[in-house]
Amino acid sequence: MNAIDRYKFEETGSEISFMPDYHFLRTLVWWLGLGIIVLAVIVYYFMDKMSGDQFRTALIIWGIYMAYLLFEMIFRTPVKYIFDKSEKCIYKKWMLSKKIMNFDEMTYFIKNENGGYCYLIGKKRNQFVKSYRISNYFSCSKASNRREDEYLKEILCPVLIAVGIPLNQTEQ
């Protein structure tokens, strides 16, 4: 899967849009299916073999697992960022579109975290207070370096060109 498919990147004449967590949706659907299978196993196989308290504990753990998956699928994965060239604004779209900043307010930076790093955008003087993750996490492995190079070339460079931010020499 290339970077354009992984991020569901779309570029039209007037806007650029992508979803940073789109690739994760397929994994979440598989885990959701596994959770449903586990429920069937718990109910049909273990219901007679466990005490009532053990059964309730297993169902509570299953419920927390499913709640987390559904939260990820409903609230995090479908977030889309739209860079509107005609209005020179950046929108965050989940169910409704929300203007988060203008092009001239935007800056991008790299956030290092737990052995990995990702690209974020934020307002120039407020980027460390409120920022928006626009990439997956990358590490120092060869596969991650290849995915990062694809991301820089196919996603970040067109966005920065549209916004009017000069590219670093290492990213060209």
Side-chain angles (χ1 to χ4, degrees):
M1 181 181 287
N2 64 7
I4 291 174
D5 295 334
R6 194 175 303 121
Y7 289 90
K8 198 175 179 184
F9 180 80
E10 297 170 354
E11 183 172 10
T12 63
S14 64
E15 69 181 30
I16 294 175
S17 65
F18 62 93
M19 298 170 67
D21 293 322
Y22 180 72
H23 75 287
F24 196 51
L25 187 62
R26 185 179 316 161
T27 305
L28 288 175
V29 170
W30 278 103
W31 281 107
L32 186 67
L34 181 66
I36 293 169
I37 291 170
V38 165
L39 176 66
V41 169
I42 289 172
V43 169
Y44 290 115
Y45 183 72
F46 289 113
M47 192 161 85
D48 297 335
K49 296 180 181 7
M50 287 193 230
S51 69
D53 291 337
Q54 289 174 335
F55 185 71
R56 273 191 232 87
T57 303
L59 285 181
I60 288 171
I61 291 171
W62 177 85
I64 292 169
Y65 167 81
M66 294 303 283
Y68 171 75
L69 285 174
L70 291 174
F71 177 80
E72 288 285 323
M73 287 179 72
I74 294 170
F75 295 110
R76 282 203 178 157
T77 304
V79 172
K80 179 185 246 184
Y81 292 102
I82 301 168
F83 295 79
D84 193 343
K85 297 176 189 177
S86 61
E87 295 182 21
K88 297 191 182 286
C89 295
I90 303 168
Y91 295 94
K92 180 179 179 180
K93 182 178 179 182
W94 173 56
M95 288 187 180
L96 300 172
S97 292
K98 176 186 171 188
K99 180 181 172 182
I100 55 176
M101 69 188 84
N102 292 321
F103 281 1
D104 58 347
E105 297 174 318
M106 187 195 117
T107 186
Y108 76 101
F109 58 99
I110 298 172
K111 179 181 179 184
N112 290 319
E113 191 174 84
N114 297 331
Y117 57 95
C118 64
Y119 289 85
L120 291 96
I121 60 171
K123 290 187 179 183
K124 285 186 180 167
R125 292 192 175 97
N126 244 357
Q127 74 262 27
F128 299 114
V129 176
K130 182 68 175 169
S131 58
Y132 305 92
R133 186 174 58 83
I134 59 169
S135 75
N136 298 325
Y137 284 93
F138 302 109
S139 65
C140 294
S141 68
K142 289 181 183 178
S144 182
N145 287 339
R146 183 181 46 77
R147 283 193 308 270
E148 181 186 10
D149 290 341
E150 285 179 9
Y151 173 78
L152 290 174
K153 188 176 86 178
E154 297 178 6
I155 309 294
L156 190 61
C157 284
V159 166
L160 294 179
I161 290 169
V163 171
I165 295 176
L167 302 173
N168 294 338
Q169 289 297 96
T170 58
E171 294 178 356
Q172 286 184 347

